[in-house]
Amino acid sequence: MASESKPLPDLRNGREPQRTSEVDLVPSGVDPALRESDLLHEQVSYLIRQADILATGINELRNEIAEMRRENNTMRTDPATTRSDAQQPPPNPPPAHESRPRPVLPDPPIHDRGGNPSLWRFQMSNKLKFDGGAIGSPEAQFHYVFARLSPLLQHLVLTAIPDGFNPANFSPGMIFEILSRHNA
């Protein structure tokens, strides 16, 4: 019966043995059942050693967690104990009414010459109308719209902006005008 069984994988190197015939399984003069028993014993011993290594690692992690909990409890109960490396809250957090609103509309698709320019302008105009506060200043909105253009249209816009133009005067309307002039 032992000669009918498939050879067990050799777990020491992570691969199954490369054997091609029953002759390779057992050297001549050795009982096949004994050879398989030895291999199985080696594999079980290997697995037990690996389990011991994992158990040691788990115990070390448990000890670290327990130490962290003790430190945390000490910090909670003893107000005089402070850690200099603890993260401090910002000195003056912005009031809730001054924080930026969250965007409500999805980002329009990247606009390229193959798409429908009217539909893209409509989507982008609505995005700026409803989410302009979340995007930021008119200059930030300009850069947002610019980022939603294909590289070819970005190049077209950049070549249409006069040299020396003050970036503080950028607005998303500039991009719409440039694209309209070029039927893009």
Side-chain angles (χ1 to χ4, degrees):
M1 209 187 275
S3 63
E4 294 176 11
S5 65
K6 182 179 177 185
L8 297 171
D10 184 0
L11 296 177
R12 290 174 292 178
N13 62 11
R15 297 179 292 188
E16 287 199 27
Q18 300 295 321
R19 295 187 176 128
T20 57
S21 70
E22 286 293 320
V23 176
D24 293 336
L25 288 176
V26 181
S28 62
V30 177
D31 181 18
L34 180 62
R35 176 71 177 128
E36 286 185 22
S37 172
D38 289 343
L39 183 59
L40 183 59
H41 182 268
E42 286 181 34
Q43 291 172 341
V44 168
S45 297
Y46 173 79
L47 290 173
I48 289 171
R49 286 191 305 274
Q50 292 300 313
D52 288 342
I53 292 170
L54 289 173
T56 302
I58 290 171
N59 285 335
E60 289 174 1
L61 287 173
R62 284 182 178 153
N63 291 339
E64 287 181 32
I65 290 170
E67 179 62 28
M68 292 170 103
R69 285 182 176 156
R70 281 191 295 277
E71 287 178 13
N72 192 15
N73 288 337
T74 302
M75 289 176 64
R76 283 187 194 165
T77 57
D78 185 7
T81 305
T82 59
R83 291 179 57 182
S84 60
D85 61 340
Q87 195 174 22
Q88 300 294 326
N92 294 321
H97 67 277
E98 289 184 23
S99 63
R100 281 192 179 168
R102 298 179 69 156
V104 293
L105 295 178
D107 292 327
I110 301 293
H111 177 44
D112 59 16
R113 284 197 176 254
N116 182 341
S118 299
L119 177 61
W120 182 84
R121 274 194 205 96
F122 177 76
Q123 290 172 327
M124 187 55 76
S125 296
N126 283 332
K127 177 69 175 178
L128 296 174
K129 178 179 177 182
F130 292 102
D131 293 340
I135 296 170
S137 67
E139 184 180 356
Q141 292 177 17
F142 171 89
H143 291 289
Y144 173 82
V145 174
F146 184 80
R148 304 305 300 166
L149 298 174
S150 69
L152 177 69
L153 292 179
Q154 286 178 348
H155 179 73
L156 179 95
V157 168
L158 287 177
T159 57
I161 295 175
D163 289 336
F165 190 79
N166 185 355
N169 295 330
F170 284 161
S171 72
M174 287 178 61
I175 294 177
F176 293 135
E177 289 173 26
I178 293 168
L179 293 176
S180 293
R181 275 186 271 155
H182 295 280
N183 295 321

